[in-house]
Amino acid sequence: MFRIGDFSRLTRVSVKALRHYDALGLLKPAYVDPFTDYRYYSFDQLPRLNRILALKGLGFSLESIGSLLDDDLSAESLRGMLTLRRAQLEAESAIAREKLLQVEMRLHQIEQEGKMSKVDVLMKTVAPLMIAGAREVVPSPRQMRDRCIALNGEACILMAAQGLKSDGISFALYYPTTAEGIDVEMAYVVPDTTKPVQQGKAAVHPLPEVTVAYAVYVGSYDDFGAVGQVHADLNQWIESHGYVVSDASREFYLRPPKRFADPDGVMEIQYPVTKKA
């Protein structure tokens, strides 16, 4: 029999861990002195301790290890748990590889340009949205500001007519450009209980759930060169990371400008993406 300290040195498992395993019922001492409360362990407990350490090394939680040890699981049940754990590790590995790729790209960029990009691209899932928007094809970039203001007004008229409320944040959707011009929709998110409706160029309609690559722009909304550079950086990131654009890009105007060329605008630019086939 070994006192807990001696057993700890023999097995290279800390006394703190052995006490924790005892508290969880994973590895009870072979004997506890009723007068001193000293814990004693035996050689016979080494196989159980090694099984605990092996399962812990595979990433199983201590709670699930208790079930694996004591519930007399069938081979099929154990195979199922190990298969699930393999899938979890494969997913973690894929995430780690993606992060490694991003680190490598940042290093490459620094080597090529001597500096970090001013744009940080992230990814997230955007839930389905119901929107009220007005859409048209604008023939010329010079007309975009005036036409977007007009489309925004039409979307607001539709919401007023239908009694719809929004969070006040407007956004633009840019559909693939055609030979006729720039296909744009100015919109607001409205309650998802709303039914689709059409009124002139304006309509209430749903947008599906999407995964987006996105970046934040701070500056004047009228600085088309700076905004365009963020779009260009996003498209470059999407291409280099093995994605393709799958739907209309979105510009969320998180801080509406207070005046023309207001330098304090805040915009989140999103591109729905899917992995290349």
Side-chain angles (χ1 to χ4, degrees):
M1 300 283 283
F2 300 90
R3 287 179 59 169
I4 189 170
D6 297 327
F7 194 67
S8 171
R9 286 187 287 273
L10 173 68
T11 60
R12 298 183 182 276
V13 177
S14 71
V15 170
K16 181 179 179 181
L18 290 172
R19 292 183 185 276
H20 189 47
Y21 296 163
D22 180 11
L24 294 175
L26 290 176
L27 187 71
K28 291 288 187 182
Y31 173 73
V32 179
D33 189 301
F35 299 103
T36 63
D37 286 334
Y38 287 159
R39 294 171 170 86
Y40 292 88
Y41 295 83
S42 70
F43 275 121
D44 294 339
Q45 292 179 285
L46 286 174
R48 183 178 177 91
L49 176 59
N50 285 344
R51 177 62 60 84
I52 292 170
L53 297 177
L55 293 171
K56 187 170 178 284
L58 291 174
F60 286 102
S61 69
L62 293 179
E63 289 75 14
S64 61
I65 288 173
S67 299
L68 288 168
L69 291 174
D70 298 330
D71 290 352
D72 194 23
L73 293 176
S74 66
E76 189 63 32
S77 296
L78 181 58
R79 184 182 297 110
M81 294 184 72
L82 289 170
T83 300
L84 176 61
R85 183 58 188 153
R86 180 177 63 187
Q88 292 171 339
L89 290 171
E90 288 174 345
E92 292 169 6
S93 177
I95 292 171
R97 287 196 299 271
E98 179 66 23
K99 289 181 178 179
L100 179 60
L101 175 62
Q102 293 183 29
V103 169
E104 292 290 350
M105 291 188 63
R106 293 291 181 106
L107 287 171
H108 179 72
Q109 181 181 31
I110 292 172
E111 290 169 0
Q112 294 293 315
E113 302 177 14
K115 62 181 179 181
M116 285 284 287
S117 170
K118 294 181 180 179
V119 176
D120 290 307
V121 179
L122 300 172
M123 295 189 70
K124 64 181 177 183
T125 298
V126 178
L129 301 174
M130 184 66 77
I131 69 169
R135 177 179 176 182
E136 73 173 45
V137 176
V138 181
S140 167
R142 293 190 300 273
Q143 299 173 279
M144 279 295 292
R145 190 176 191 279
D146 290 340
R147 291 312 306 152
C148 284
I149 291 173
L151 291 171
N152 184 81
E154 291 191 42
C156 290
I157 291 171
L158 172 62
M159 288 192 294
Q162 298 295 321
L164 301 176
K165 295 186 179 297
S166 78
D167 57 9
I169 296 175
S170 66
F171 65 103
L173 294 103
Y174 290 96
Y175 299 90
T177 299
T178 69
E180 289 74 29
I182 303 165
D183 191 350
V184 62
E185 180 177 13
M186 297 300 298
Y188 292 85
V189 176
V190 296
D192 60 9
T193 54
T194 306
K195 295 181 180 179
V197 64
Q198 182 87 30
Q199 182 176 304
K201 294 181 180 179
V204 175
H205 63 96
L207 295 179
E209 178 178 283
V210 288
T211 297
V212 300
Y214 71 98
V216 173
Y217 165 80
V218 178
S220 170
Y221 293 164
D222 297 300
D223 189 344
F224 301 122
V227 174
Q229 185 60 54
V230 178
H231 278 275
D233 289 343
L234 268 164
N235 277 282
Q236 183 180 21
W237 187 96
I238 290 166
E239 172 66 25
S240 61
H241 282 73
Y243 291 94
V244 292
V245 177
S246 60
D247 207 341
S249 62
R250 308 171 182 183
E251 290 182 350
F252 280 85
Y253 306 114
L254 304 180
R255 184 185 177 280
K258 297 178 180 178
R259 60 188 183 278
F260 180 75
D262 183 351
D264 296 323
V266 179
M267 180 195 306
E268 182 173 295
I269 303 173
Q270 302 176 354
Y271 276 80
V273 295
T274 56
K275 269 291 187 182
K276 286 182 180 178

